[in-house]
Amino acid sequence: MNFAKRILEVSPSETLEITSIAKKMKQEGHDVVSMASGEPDFDTPDFIKKEAIKAIEGGFTKYTPAQGILELRELICQKLKKDNNLEYLPEQIVVSNGAKHSIYNIIQVLVDQGDEVLIISPYWLSYPEMVKLAQAKPIIIKTVKENNYRLTPALLEQHITKRTKLLILNSPSNPTGQVYSKEEIKQFADVCVKHNILVISDEIYEKIIFDNKPHISIASLGSQINDLTITVNGMSKSYSMTGWRIGYACGPKAVMKAVANLQSHATSNPCSISQKAAFCALKNSEITKEFCRIFEKRRNLIVELMRNVSEIEYINPEGAFYLFCNISKFGLPSAEFAKKFLIEEKVAVIPGAPFGFDEFIRLSFAASESEIEKGITRLKKFICQKQ
């Protein structure tokens, strides 16, 4: 069978083998520690689940407007004004089936064949594949240790060409957990305005930031960058609602109208019941502070434990719930390291290759403190055996 060329250019997931082996080992009764998760390990709060049940029992089970129900979009506008210093009208909001869906929609609307999209490496693994599906070219901006693996204005400028259409900015970042300061983001904004480059600001980890660092939305830093930016957020990480599939995007009216049009033909509306649950969650956003407190405590724990693993350097996370660790001293590709670690010590981690850094692995601390302690103890044992 002949497949479309664009789908053949999409890379298969390098993590499937790891997760498949881990699942099989658990089914066989092995004590597997999972440090691979990309989602909070605690349940969706009961008050949110009850609102969803209420929606079901009330018959709120039909189609909604493709861009989401008005009351939810109005509440998102209030949230953006309060938290992000962003002012939008409901018609500038599109609610989608998760933040990933929002980003996919935006890329499909903005990017054409031959366009170049700037992606900061390490990156979330789906960014390049989404760009390829739009028949555009992902341009990887490789960061370096000397700059603590952070983007700089000079590095950004170096990768801009006449074909550059879009920059994808992710802060807090998956997989590094880094949070860009207002000064840094303002410099990026200045470069994008200078070259008329559009920006997707992926802010899905916005509520999971440590050490009292502020979150800055690039679109809030002036009217010129606001006109170039589409901000993406959602309910998955901050509210532990990954399976509910609610994300949203906001931006210039013309862009969001096109996104709504695309979505109306692709998926129609996001789940009606999940929209009611999301409305309830946003109305009770204080819960995110407790979740952040838990993650910060776990961050402190895993960093403290890793101080005893001197053979591995890591990027200190300022947000999200990942520890990105350098395994280059062991001379193994990240997928092979992860597979051996899983088979020999029964700990599941994610290889760094899909994030653009094959010399790293990603440890998730979206796990209980006891599981984190067990996982790092096994990591120390594993690397001692490899020396």
Side-chain angles (χ1 to χ4, degrees):
M1 182 177 291
N2 293 322
F3 294 97
K5 289 181 181 179
R6 62 183 177 275
I7 202 67
L8 295 175
E9 292 178 357
V10 175
S11 302
S13 171
E14 295 185 42
T15 64
L16 287 179
E17 184 180 14
I18 300 296
T19 54
S20 177
I21 294 172
K23 184 177 180 180
K24 186 173 184 293
M25 290 173 68
K26 280 189 174 182
Q27 290 173 341
E28 293 171 350
H30 294 285
D31 177 24
V32 176
V33 174
S34 179
M35 301 189 77
S37 182
E39 61 183 345
D41 55 308
F42 29 81
D43 199 6
T44 303
D46 284 342
F47 68 87
I48 298 174
K49 292 191 286 185
K50 288 176 181 177
E51 190 66 25
I53 293 169
K54 181 181 174 182
I56 294 170
E57 292 176 340
F60 195 73
T61 57
K62 306 297 184 183
Y63 292 130
T64 76
Q67 67 268 45
I69 57 177
L70 179 59
E71 63 184 285
L72 177 55
R73 288 183 286 126
E74 287 177 335
L75 185 58
I76 290 170
C77 288
Q78 294 173 30
K79 180 265 178 220
L80 291 167
K81 184 174 182 179
K82 176 186 174 185
D83 294 349
N84 309 95
N85 195 27
L86 296 173
E87 295 214 24
Y88 290 103
L89 298 171
E91 56 262 38
Q92 293 176 271
I93 309 294
V94 176
V95 182
S96 300
N97 301 288
K100 177 186 282 190
H101 185 209
S102 297
I103 296 169
Y104 181 87
N105 282 344
I106 296 162
I107 291 174
Q108 287 293 322
V109 162
L110 294 180
V111 175
D112 223 334
Q113 187 172 8
D115 286 340
E116 294 178 352
V117 177
L118 302 177
I119 298 173
I120 306 159
S121 179
Y123 48 74
W124 179 50
L125 54 90
S126 289
Y127 293 149
E129 310 313 316
M130 291 182 182
V131 172
K132 292 176 190 175
L133 284 167
Q135 297 183 292
K137 183 178 181 181
I139 301 297
I140 306 304
I141 304 177
K142 188 94 171 180
T143 59
V144 295
K145 180 181 178 181
E146 289 71 24
N147 291 326
N148 198 27
Y149 303 100
R150 298 172 83 91
L151 179 67
T152 66
L155 192 58
L156 177 57
E157 288 259 18
Q158 289 171 21
H159 289 80
I160 294 172
T161 72
K162 292 181 179 179
R163 290 185 176 273
T164 304
K165 184 71 174 288
L166 177 68
L167 166 70
I168 302 178
L169 180 66
N170 179 212
S171 176
S173 165
N174 174 10
T176 66
Q178 291 177 323
V179 177
Y180 286 105
S181 69
K182 183 175 182 178
E183 292 72 24
E184 288 174 301
I185 293 178
K186 180 63 169 65
Q187 291 175 323
F188 306 153
D190 290 343
V191 173
C192 291
V193 167
K194 174 184 173 183
H195 295 278
N196 197 36
I197 296 170
L198 296 164
V199 179
I200 293 177
S201 183
D202 181 356
E203 304 181 10
I204 191 65
Y205 292 96
E206 168 200 15
K207 297 292 185 181
I208 308 174
I209 295 181
F210 314 133
D211 306 317
N212 295 313
K213 288 182 178 292
H215 170 75
I216 305 298
S217 294
I218 190 170
S220 70
L221 300 180
S223 60
Q224 289 180 298
I225 190 63
N226 184 279
D227 289 342
L228 293 170
T229 302
I230 303 89
T231 301
V232 174
N233 211 320
M235 313 307 298
S236 294
K237 313 298 183 179
S238 299
Y239 293 88
S240 197
M241 293 177 67
T242 50
W244 298 78
R245 307 315 301 137
I246 293 291
Y248 56 87
C250 57
K253 287 183 181 180
V255 174
M256 301 318 298
K257 183 178 180 180
V259 168
N261 186 34
L262 170 64
Q263 182 162 295
S264 71
H265 292 292
T267 61
S268 297
N269 61 276
C271 173
S272 60
I273 299 153
S274 294
Q275 289 185 69
K276 285 289 190 179
F279 182 88
C280 175
L282 287 173
K283 275 284 190 183
N284 297 273
S285 61
E286 289 298 306
I287 188 66
T288 62
K289 294 180 180 179
E290 175 60 17
F291 290 164
C292 182
R293 185 194 66 78
I294 293 169
F295 281 127
E296 183 162 9
K297 186 179 179 184
R298 292 173 176 179
R299 188 281 307 261
N300 294 341
L301 172 63
I302 197 169
V303 166
E304 182 64 31
L305 293 170
M306 285 297 292
R307 288 184 180 137
N308 296 319
V309 188
S310 57
E311 301 86 351
I312 292 181
E313 295 181 352
Y314 56 86
I315 301 171
N316 189 44
E318 300 167 323
F321 38 76
Y322 310 110
L323 194 72
F324 208 46
C325 300
N326 190 326
I327 57 162
S328 59
K329 288 184 179 179
F330 305 98
L332 294 174
S334 58
E336 186 177 345
F337 184 99
K339 186 176 179 180
K340 286 180 178 292
F341 187 29
L342 175 58
I343 292 173
E344 296 178 22
E345 295 298 332
K346 301 179 178 62
V347 179
V349 299
I350 299 296
F355 301 98
F357 271 64
D358 197 22
E359 64 274 29
F360 279 69
I361 56 171
R362 192 192 74 178
L363 310 184
S364 170
F365 50 91
S368 68
E369 292 182 23
S370 61
E371 288 292 280
I372 292 170
E373 290 174 350
K374 190 188 297 184
I376 301 305
T377 297
R378 293 181 184 183
L379 176 62
K380 186 169 179 61
K381 178 184 174 185
F382 176 73
I383 63 175
C384 285
Q385 293 170 346
K386 298 303 171 189
Q387 291 180 315

